[in-house]
Amino acid sequence: MTSFAPDSIVLNRKLPLWYQVSQSLRASILGRSPEDPLRLPTEEQLAGHYGVSVLTMRQALKELEDEGLITRHRRRGTFIEPSARRGAPVRLLGSVDAIVAQQSGMTTQLLGHGKAPVSAELAEYFPELAEVATYHRLRSDEKTGEPTNHARNYVRPELAERIDLDDLARWPMTKVLRDVVGMRISRITDTVEARLADPETARLLEVPLLSPILRYTGVAHGESGQVLDVAVIHYRGDRFSFTVTLDA
């Protein structure tokens, strides 16, 4: 039986290895194609793929099992759970793969794309630019079709020329920039705020006007510190929560 092939990552030794592996594998699972196999490679094969010990791999798999993304069967192997809920809370611990995992795994509809002037809100991120490329997407639960969040990305024009819209229907912008465009992302600054749904957000997310939502702003920086992308995502407050874990 053919096994599912997860993406590869470069591990950051400053963060727990099991956490990075679990988030990378989570993003791979949620971003998979419908025709991809459901069976995962063995613990030993996965450990070799990520360059970690079997014990570390086992801990990473337990995290995904506890979340309900995979099921493990003695002698049969480990399988992706196709009906797993995609709106589960995500623990953010400072890795780019955590951001990818947070944004993955939903049906995505491209609502629009084009160019726009750099607004006053974006000027601090793109001070030298007159305009940026914009992408507006709506994400929905795969099983129920219920809208869960809508995202606007503001990307440097020279990078937008290398972005395929079909990739954005499958993967979050962070993954496209890193793994398709080939940009090294040095850090992402996250901000999460409580807001009330404005008319557009209420309509798109199918919630009452002024109902609580979560506004997430993620600013992705390249190796030189230059901002590559600003993502502004509005999440339904009844479907998402964010937890930040800080190690002492």
Side-chain angles (χ1 to χ4, degrees), residues 72-84:
R72 310 179 75 185
H73 305 276
R74 187 176 179 85
R75 295 190 179 88
R76 287 181 53 213
T78 301
F79 296 83
I80 297 168
E81 177 52 61
S83 62

Side-chain angles (χ1 to χ4, degrees), residues 46-85:
L46 286 170
H49 175 78
Y50 285 111
V52 298
S53 69
V54 172
L55 185 62
T56 296
M57 194 65 238
R58 194 167 294 158
Q59 189 175 5
L61 290 172
K62 185 179 185 305
E63 179 82 358
L64 299 180
E65 185 178 26
D66 290 345
E67 189 179 332
L69 283 178
I70 62 173
T71 55
R72 310 179 75 185
H73 305 276
R74 187 176 179 85
R75 295 190 179 88
R76 287 181 53 213
T78 301
F79 296 83
I80 297 168
E81 177 52 61
S83 62
R85 186 176 177 83

Side-chain angles (χ1 to χ4, degrees), residues 131-217:
E131 64 178 17
V132 289
T134 66
Y135 301 87
H136 187 198
R137 289 173 293 168
L138 178 68
R139 298 189 181 104
S140 304
D141 186 282
E142 286 182 342
K143 190 173 182 181
T144 66
E146 180 184 60
T148 58
N149 68 84
H150 76 92
R152 293 185 187 273
N153 288 85
Y154 304 92
V155 181
R156 303 187 69 83
E158 66 270 21
L159 300 181
E161 295 175 358
R162 297 152 61 187
I163 293 175
D164 189 320
L165 296 181
D166 288 339
D167 288 334
L168 288 180
R170 178 179 178 185
W171 295 317
M173 180 67 76
T174 306
K175 182 175 176 65
V176 171
L177 289 176
R178 185 188 65 177
D179 298 343
V180 180
V181 178
M183 299 302 299
R184 174 166 165 71
I185 299 175
S186 62
R187 63 188 172 93
I188 296 178
T189 304
D190 295 329
T191 304
V192 179
E193 307 167 90
R195 293 288 184 92
L196 298 178
D198 58 37
E200 180 190 37
T201 298
R203 176 180 61 82
L204 289 173
L205 299 186
E206 299 179 5
V207 296
L209 184 66
L210 302 182
S211 61
I213 60 171
L214 292 173
R215 174 187 165 107
Y216 163 89
T217 303

Side-chain angles (χ1 to χ4, degrees), residues 101-132:
Q102 170 192 313
Q103 299 170 0
S104 297
M106 298 179 187
T107 300
T108 301
Q109 176 187 0
L110 182 65
L111 299 179
H113 67 96
K115 295 182 179 180
V118 174
S119 65
E121 184 180 13
L122 296 174
E124 64 174 298
Y125 306 118
F126 304 107
E128 78 283 15
L129 297 180
E131 64 178 17
V132 289

